Amino acid sequence: MTRRRGIRSSRLIGFDYDMDEPNLAGLRMSADEYMALPECRKLYELIDGVVIAWPSRSVKHQRAVLEIVFQLSSYLESNPIGKVVHQVDVRLSDTIVYCPDVIFLRNEKAARITDRVNDLPDLVIEVVSPLSRACDTITKRHDYAVAGVADYWIADPATESVKYLVNRNSVYQELSSRGHRSITTTAVPGFAFDHGLFFRTNFKG
């Protein structure tokens, strides 16, 4: 999710924005309007034209995100084929803006990043939390597939599993990781995600 601060005026509805931290939850707006908002501390996404607020993530959730970022960043240091970014706004359509936990974009797309992302990521990764489970596994799975995101991974601490989904004609098909310590993806050529290390590092002990 993203952070937005200091909104002073809006033509969207009659709403008093002369406050330091406005509450945007429930407002209806387009993706263009949403992407034009300045930063603030609250966590929001735009789903079907409505702003949705999310609670702050737990320490365990953030540790998991950082481990994913670390593995990707370590690979990209010696194989500079793109950029990994975490928790940045990504526009999927005129009514949908998500803020994935982690995204990867190849160099040609990464070169066009400003404050937010208008290109489709090559890889999106979400770490499931109790409140986001349905959204991550159903709503976002559908929306990322229809938008054309090539690979979508869903890391689930509760089940200590990662679903590796590959886009086939706007529908995700799951790759089996059974019996494998790591898995590769064509979205990040040559990269192998060590999910065994991921769970041992973040969710054991």
Side-chain angles (χ1 to χ4, degrees):
M1 287 68 178
T2 195
R3 302 180 174 183
R4 308 180 180 281
R5 177 175 304 157
I7 299 168
R8 296 299 178 186
S9 64
S10 174
R11 65 178 179 81
L12 299 175
I13 63 171
F15 192 87
D16 181 8
Y17 283 118
D18 291 328
M19 60 182 74
D20 187 52
E21 188 70 25
N23 179 13
L24 302 179
L27 297 188
R28 187 172 294 278
M29 63 182 71
S30 69
D32 285 341
E33 291 167 325
Y34 184 87
M35 296 287 268
L37 294 172
E39 293 185 355
C40 80
R41 294 181 295 273
K42 294 183 179 179
L43 307 179
Y44 296 111
E45 290 182 311
L46 185 71
I47 303 178
D48 293 334
V50 178
V51 179
I52 304 298
W54 295 98
S56 297
R57 297 312 195 194
S58 68
V59 171
K60 181 177 287 188
H61 181 278
Q62 296 298 68
R63 283 177 55 194
V65 169
L66 290 175
E67 172 62 26
I68 294 169
V69 171
F70 175 77
Q71 288 197 33
L72 277 165
S73 296
S74 297
Y75 175 76
L76 294 173
E77 283 184 7
S78 55
N79 301 272
I81 59 174
K83 301 293 183 184
V84 59
V85 185
H86 70 99
Q87 295 180 341
V88 65
D89 287 332
V90 176
R91 176 181 176 146
L92 293 187
S93 72
D94 290 340
T95 59
I96 298 174
V97 179
Y98 286 141
C99 191
D101 287 316
V102 182
I103 64 172
F104 167 79
L105 301 103
R106 297 196 188 190
N107 284 328
E108 61 272 21
K109 294 181 180 179
R112 294 191 289 268
I113 295 177
T114 54
D115 290 335
R116 299 176 177 102
V117 177
N118 286 289
D119 283 299
L120 285 178
D122 297 286
L123 169 65
V124 169
I125 306 172
E126 298 280 12
V127 177
V128 173
S129 61
L131 287 178
S132 73
R133 178 175 301 280
C135 189
D136 291 338
T137 60
I138 300 173
T139 305
K140 288 187 176 182
R141 176 173 177 161
H142 171 269
D143 291 342
Y144 288 139
V146 170
V149 175
D151 282 25
Y152 178 37
W153 297 358
I154 306 172
D156 191 340
T159 60
E160 295 191 6
S161 65
V162 182
K163 285 188 176 181
Y164 301 96
L165 306 172
V166 178
N167 202 326
R168 299 283 187 261
N169 299 317
S170 299
V171 176
Y172 281 127
Q173 296 180 0
E174 185 173 355
L175 297 179
S176 175
S177 60
R178 183 171 298 176
H180 302 282
R181 174 174 171 171
S182 62
I183 194 163
T184 59
T185 170
T186 57
V188 190
F191 172 68
F193 179 66
D194 190 335
H195 50 246
L197 175 63
F198 171 71
F199 286 108
R200 289 197 304 276
T201 301
N202 291 283
F203 307 111
K204 297 296 185 183

